[in-house]
Amino acid sequence: MRLKIITAMAGTLLVTPALAQESYPSFSADFVFEVQSDQTFSSTDPAAEINNTFATFEAALQLSIASGASINASLVFEPVIDPVDDSFFEDHGLYVEELYFAYEVEGVTLTLGKFNPAFGEAWDTAPGLYGVDFAEDYELTERLGAGIAIPFDAFDGEHELSLAIFAADTTALSDSVIQNRGLTRSNSGGVSNTQSPESAALSIAGGIGDTGYNVGLQYQSKGDGDTDDQFGFVVGVNQAIPFSEDSGAEVLAEIAYFPNSDGGPDSALFGTLGAAVPVGPVTLSGVYSVRDVDNVPTDHLGTVSAEMELVDGLTAGLGYRFGREGGETSHTVGALLVYEIGFSTE
């Protein structure tokens, strides 16, 4: 997880709860700006020894139109073509990752449109500059369909049950502008690339005390050219270890398994183990991940990072990445700057 600090910039009307009134429409936004530079300085594949400097911009937008009803969008600007040699802010495209209508009633949220179904968490929560690299392979993004999220309390903890029915996005929103990444078409193949929502994901996540967890199941119907549907299972746990009232370490572990990975005959197993520890103003973290797919060499990932908040909303990080992927070994160092800011008209 890249350390992100939020600075809220919003006007607040100071009235008693009994007199407070919500007005519609209202608008809120959160923005994340990132600049990262990666230098692969040693590799068994000489062609992989490149420098890649790039930017990432993410915008989460919400327009509340009535009590509990909102229109939500997530925009992403990032490289949409992988570099094959040294790259300096090249091949960036802007696309719509999410665009959906949400309605919340008595804590239950209904979602309709293009969204990211819940399945696993390590692709977001693994610490450091490179900790999420393998887990991102099974993140569910840019699906069209409907979902429901139901919060509940049990065993002295808070939990949420999520269910989504979806298909891959094959509309014009699957492309990007500035640099085109290409449309996803119905005949492009790939699991969940079906004419109608035929795939599903079920997840339950929550926490009890200092321990958090997530468990998920998915079924993604085969697309053109696939031999099988994809089934998947994920289970993860994270444990906070408090040092004081406002400081503590965190450890996480997550495993995901797919008997028919990507709709093919081979199985895939992903494992992520990570830890983050504050040392003064610096957060040190490390991650080990494995990706084991049938009939190809097992991939390994090891990372260490140091991140620090420079000023409110601005974070800097340094990291090292060791990768053994596709039978090749590489060593990468990187630097990252992250600035996050938000505002609301409420």
Side-chain angles (χ1 to χ4, degrees), residues 207-213 237-244 247-253 274-276 278:
I208 301 174
D210 292 329
T211 303
Y213 73 93
V237 62
N238 60 83
Q239 178 67 47
I241 305 172
F243 297 158
S244 64
S247 178
E250 186 164 350
V251 178
L252 68 85

Side-chain angles (χ1 to χ4, degrees), residues 19 28 32 34 39 44 58 121 126 185-186 205 228 290 294 317:
L19 299 177
S28 64
V32 180
E34 300 181 0
Q39 177 68 56
T44 54
E58 299 177 7
E121 295 181 356
R185 303 184 183 278
S186 57
D228 292 288
V290 63
D294 285 349

Side-chain angles (χ1 to χ4, degrees), residues 5-44:
I5 308 300
I6 300 176
T7 302
M9 299 180 61
T12 304
L13 182 63
L14 299 178
V15 294
T16 62
L19 299 177
Q21 293 183 354
E22 296 178 339
S23 60
Y24 301 99
S26 63
F27 180 75
S28 64
D30 290 304
F31 302 103
V32 180
F33 304 86
E34 300 181 0
V35 177
Q36 183 167 339
S37 184
D38 298 329
Q39 177 68 56
T40 299
F41 62 89
S42 177
S43 176
T44 54

Side-chain angles (χ1 to χ4, degrees), residues 256-276:
Y257 178 66
F258 304 87
N260 299 99
S261 178
D262 292 329
D266 298 326
S267 66
L269 175 69
F270 296 82
T272 302
L273 179 65

Side-chain angles (χ1 to χ4, degrees), residues 182-206:
L183 286 168
T184 300
R185 303 184 183 278
S186 57
N187 60 2
S188 300
V191 292
S192 80
N193 188 352
T194 52
Q195 296 291 336
S196 59
E198 301 175 11
S199 302
L202 177 67
S203 176
I204 182 171

